[in-house]
Amino acid sequence: MAYHVIDEAKRCLNCKNPKCRDGCPVGTPINTFIQMLLEGKIKDAGELIFENNPLSVICSLVCYHEKQCEGHCILNRKGSPVHISSIENYISSYYLDYMKENFPKPTKSKIAIIGSGPAGITIAIILANRGYDITIFEGNEKIGGVLTYGIPAFRLPKNILDKYRKILHNMHIKIRPNTIVGSGGLLMDDLFRDGYKAIFVGTGVWKPNSLKIKGESLGHVHFAINYLKNPDAFDLGDSLAIIGAGNVAMDVARTAIRKNINRVTIFSRRGEDDLTASKHEFEYAVIEGVKFQYHKTPVEITDDGVIFADTVDDETEGGGVKIIEGSEKLFEADSVIVAVSQGPRNYIASTTTGLDVSKKGLLITDNTGHTTKPGIFASGDVVTGAKTVVEAVNLSKQVADAIEKYVMSLE
């Protein structure tokens, strides 16, 4: 591993105008940390990366590198790009193991973080590092949100989240697991009553979108986000049909293969060139034995499987696909998993006056994370819909600054 990383680092041209950095949503100083590594300054390189992106070790594993940093590498034009993700992972993993443990105790105002997914962890670390007294309210047993309950371990080893829990503890960040704010015990007003000067909401999107077709309530039909949360709780039989072709569908398919489901098939409304999943995730799925059927849309789910109709691309304005009449055919499957994205639950919005949401239930904010209720901020998927980890980090860095500015204005 180390030899490969050093070998890759030596391929970096250290461009004066690094396109790789331009391709990174969070502006990681890639050429700088690579040169620092080659100069033997690995801890300094790790600190540089971490301060820019507290979730760098995670992003190095789950980002769309082929479209972002590596896709913009100048060497990609005529050959293969520098394997930036491997270098970043090596440095970031090393740094997490050597981070200091004696952080100063908080001296500033209390701030509540609701949700410990990518956005919540990012803001908690940034503000705790600035001296704020942070408490995280997490609805599940473990921290991480989608990192723990939505991304399979073969893509993101879960011991990484154990390291982050230790980091949060060392930074004097308090964590309340199994606590859902807005449902039952605690409401947002309770937090303000108890002295929190600002509240950040990063609860993600955990309500699966449905197809709204006949048969979706049958016992062998499941939603992707529910399956990924605990695959061992599901008995899928010998064959599985997955409806949807994004990265979540790929995660479901590759997980099912690992659970010894013999026949796993992904169905897409469009062709192979229009899959929303990343190229690498698609290629891994193919190599691992997942089958694909294109230009198929579900019209009904039965006890025996899914009835699909053939589709063609709609060339009129607005795009989409058109169903070919009379093309309906049953695809037999023991189980069906629907993977057509997710939306937010409404626990907080429905119990907090003055907190507005969009038609899709997403929290409405300005470009620095202010919601429509003073003192409440939000970012991540609960604002944008399902996006990437690095996009959540990028927006959350700006929101952390806005929270600090707001809290300081109260003093």
Side-chain angles (χ1 to χ4, degrees), residues 129-145:
N129 217 17
R130 297 177 184 177
Y132 290 93
D133 186 355
I134 306 297
T135 297
I136 294 176
F137 298 83
E138 170 53 49
N140 292 303
E141 176 184 356
K142 298 180 180 180
I143 68 163

Side-chain angles (χ1 to χ4, degrees), residues 350-393:
S350 64
T351 58
T352 306
T353 57
L355 193 59
D356 294 344
V357 298
S358 68
K359 291 181 179 179
K360 294 183 178 180
L362 300 170
L363 288 177
I364 295 174
T365 68
D366 64 14
N367 57 8
T368 56
H370 291 81
T371 67
T372 54
K373 188 175 181 67
I376 299 180
F377 298 77
S379 71
D381 291 356
V382 75
V383 172
T384 62
K387 298 289 185 180
T388 63
V389 174
V390 72
E391 288 172 310
V393 171

Side-chain angles (χ1 to χ4, degrees), residues 211 213 242-246 266-276 292-299 308-314 318-324 339-340:
L211 297 168
I213 61 174
I242 300 170
I243 301 171
I266 288 177
F267 292 84
S268 172
R269 299 168 70 239
R270 296 183 177 273
E272 180 178 334
D273 293 338
D274 296 313
L275 295 180
T276 55
F292 288 79
Q293 290 202 25
Y294 304 105
H295 295 290
K296 302 286 185 182
T297 192
V299 294
F308 288 97
D310 294 336
T311 65
V312 294
D313 292 336
D314 189 347
V321 297
K322 293 190 297 185
I323 293 177
I324 299 176
V340 290

Side-chain angles (χ1 to χ4, degrees), residues 237-238 255-263:
D238 193 59
T255 300
I257 289 286
R258 285 163 171 75
K259 299 299 179 181
N260 297 316
I261 309 301
N262 289 325
R263 185 164 62 103

Side-chain angles (χ1 to χ4, degrees), residues 98-115:
Y98 286 91
M99 281 186 69
K100 63 182 180 180
E101 295 188 1
N102 298 317
F103 288 87
K105 290 187 176 180
T107 59
K108 298 181 181 179
S109 302
K110 293 182 182 293
I111 297 174
I113 308 291
I114 303 177

Side-chain angles (χ1 to χ4, degrees), residues 146 205-209 224-225 248 338-344 362 381 385-386:
V146 69
V205 285
W206 292 96
K207 184 175 74 174
N209 291 338
I225 195 67
V248 171
V338 178
V340 290
S341 194
Q342 303 87 234
L362 300 170
D381 291 356

